[in-house]
Amino acid sequence: MDGTVRARFAPSPTGFLHLGGARTSLFNWAFARNNKGTFILRIEDTDMARSTDESVDVILDSLKWLGFTWDEGPGAGGDCGPYFQSERRGIYKEYLQKLLDKGHAYYCFCTPEELAERREKTLAEGNNWRYDRHCLRLSPEEVQGLLTPGKKAVLRFRIPEGTTTFIDMLRGDISFHNTELDDFVILKSDGMPTYNFACVVDDALMHITHVIRGDDHISNTPRQVLLYRALDFCVPEFAHIPMILGHDKTRLSKRHGSPSVTYYRDKGYLPEAMVNYLARLSWASGEEEKEIFSREEILDRFSLDQVTKHSAVFDLDKLNWMNSLYIRQASNAYLAEILIQILTQEGLKKVEEITPEFRSYCEQVVSVMKERMKYVALIVEEARYFFDDTYAFDPAVFEKILLEEGVSQRLKLCRDEFHKLPAFTMEATEDVVRKLSESLNVKATKLIHPLRVAVSGVKVGPGLFELLVVLGKERVLSRIDRALQAIQGKK
RNA sequence: GCCCUCAUCGUCUAGCCUGGUAAGGACACCGCCCUUUCAAGGCGGCGGCAGCGGUUCAAAUCCGCUUGAGGGCGCCA
């Protein structure tokens, strides 16, 4: 590997960034950084019908969230721009002409309808469809005659005879008989180049040394190699990394839950955890006991020859485990910020209501919840009582815990003792409960469980005394009263 | 259908290239301990080299076939 490594991630802005794309981006980024090379971001927006600006924004945001900073590309500048393919039409035109001049490309006037018809017929006869070179037979005069009145045309690449072989860094030699490759379209009738063509021109002009992409591109590679050769470009190194599949072993998609990076961000997954998890899919450092890798550790160790060749199944359980681990290690301030994002997004809190006091309350909430969170939004999903005084009582729990004989009496005693407390601390509240249980001659749990249900509505959550302190004396007292009323109503 | 790729516990993987340790770890699951619920933590358990054939004293590891899985076969990328 001589010269500076230049790797790129080239998403098409036709939707959000999905986990597969994120992982491809991660490997490119890690590979570039590990080799002290350059990481380039290029937007492949040649599909005018499906590309959107919003999608570009989402992809950029996702990448930034994951921390994959690019050295060249949108917002970063660079000497090989523009980095949007839609802005490179002039460049493609030049190379298209080159192919035309050298006889590697030809005009095709077949309409999509005609093509579909012939394809179906061929398939029905049990044969494989390849473009039948219908328009290759046209003489230059005929072509000119059709072009002049402005008839819709595309440009096709003329596939030479023979076999095309390339080296995949993970698999070694891969060969295709050129008969498998038909004369594919390189310029669409709307004036945009197709993926295979634009990709080759850009990778060459951007001096990409390593093309790291999903292995669904393996069958595109021989076509691209042929294009590199026809254009007298240097062929880069290729590494086709395995895809990420859903539990049914098919390509990860909406059917498998949400595959978008932003979904996980909005759920309160930490980017560090996501990067770590994604990295461990198809990659292992060789250190047998090691599962947890910081971004730096990944950069430090990443190597393509430690990437597996087989696809990996996305496992939410393991992501959850990893995320909860990162959450437990994260600072309360960091977690509170994420929680606040979620609260405002969910409409539970308005931006102007985020006072320093509220922020500090959020920090207390995450500090008691961080031991038991798979992701931050779980607070909103399962511990809404922190932010909602009108929380409901879980019917089964209410029945079992609060409707038990003597509970009202015990709750009243607790409330009265709590009321007298000058300092509402963990020690003080626990002391109250312990003493009361002794004098009443009941187990402490006979007070603890009803109290928990009274102030939160559910039977699971943080340790009771930390919960009480976070909620604060006033709210605890009024919540006990509220529970008492509910019990009264049920009797 | 044709072409390409892949194949170690349910899942992610180490080991394979440079044949020779009871095939190691993690998640999940199950049990026990701890405990104020849920977690976390500790201890233990379950569970795998897809199959067949070959090479070899010896095969997860090398070779072949079969099977299975994934991907591609667009004026999508």
Side-chain angles (χ1 to χ4, degrees), chain A residues 242-294:
Chain A
M243 321 216 64
I244 300 176
L245 309 179
H247 263 115
D248 58 0
K249 302 282 177 83
T250 66
R251 205 195 187 107
L252 201 60
S253 72
K254 306 99 228 158
R255 279 180 302 124
H256 306 100
S258 186
S260 75
V261 169
T262 42
Y263 167 85
Y264 292 96
R265 178 196 62 194
D266 296 345
K267 271 272 178 184
Y269 284 81
L270 307 190
E272 298 82 357
M274 189 50 113
V275 169
N276 191 161
Y277 177 71
L278 252 19
R280 287 290 293 110
L281 238 37
S282 305
W283 175 78
S285 70
E287 294 148 285
E288 296 202 359
E289 313 273 294
K290 196 165 170 64
E291 285 292 326
I292 303 306
F293 295 88
S294 66

Side-chain angles (χ1 to χ4, degrees), chain A residues 16 34 247 282 312 315-316 361 387 486:
Chain A
F16 44 69
N34 179 268
H247 263 115
S282 305
D315 182 17
L316 186 59
Y361 173 64
F387 302 96

Side-chain angles (χ1 to χ4, degrees), chain A residues 43-63:
Chain A
I43 305 298
E44 308 217 323
D45 55 349
T46 54
D47 186 339
M48 291 164 85
R50 297 197 304 147
S51 298
T52 64
D53 291 346
E54 299 77 67
S55 176
V56 172
D57 291 342
V58 173
I59 291 170
L60 261 40
D61 283 350
S62 300
L63 255 18

Side-chain angles (χ1 to χ4, degrees), chain A residues 36 104 121 131 154 258-259 277 304 315 368 371 390 421 482:
Chain A
K36 307 260 181 295
H104 289 310
K121 190 169 170 241
Y131 177 63
V154 302
S258 186
Y277 177 71
L304 283 170
D315 182 17
V368 299
E371 277 284 320
T390 63
L421 250 25
R482 179 169 174 260

Side-chain angles (χ1 to χ4, degrees), chain A residues 108-111 114 145-154:
Chain A
C108 168
F109 300 92
C110 300
T111 66
E114 290 165 351
L146 287 161
L147 240 29
T148 315
K151 188 168 167 57
K152 287 249 182 197
V154 302

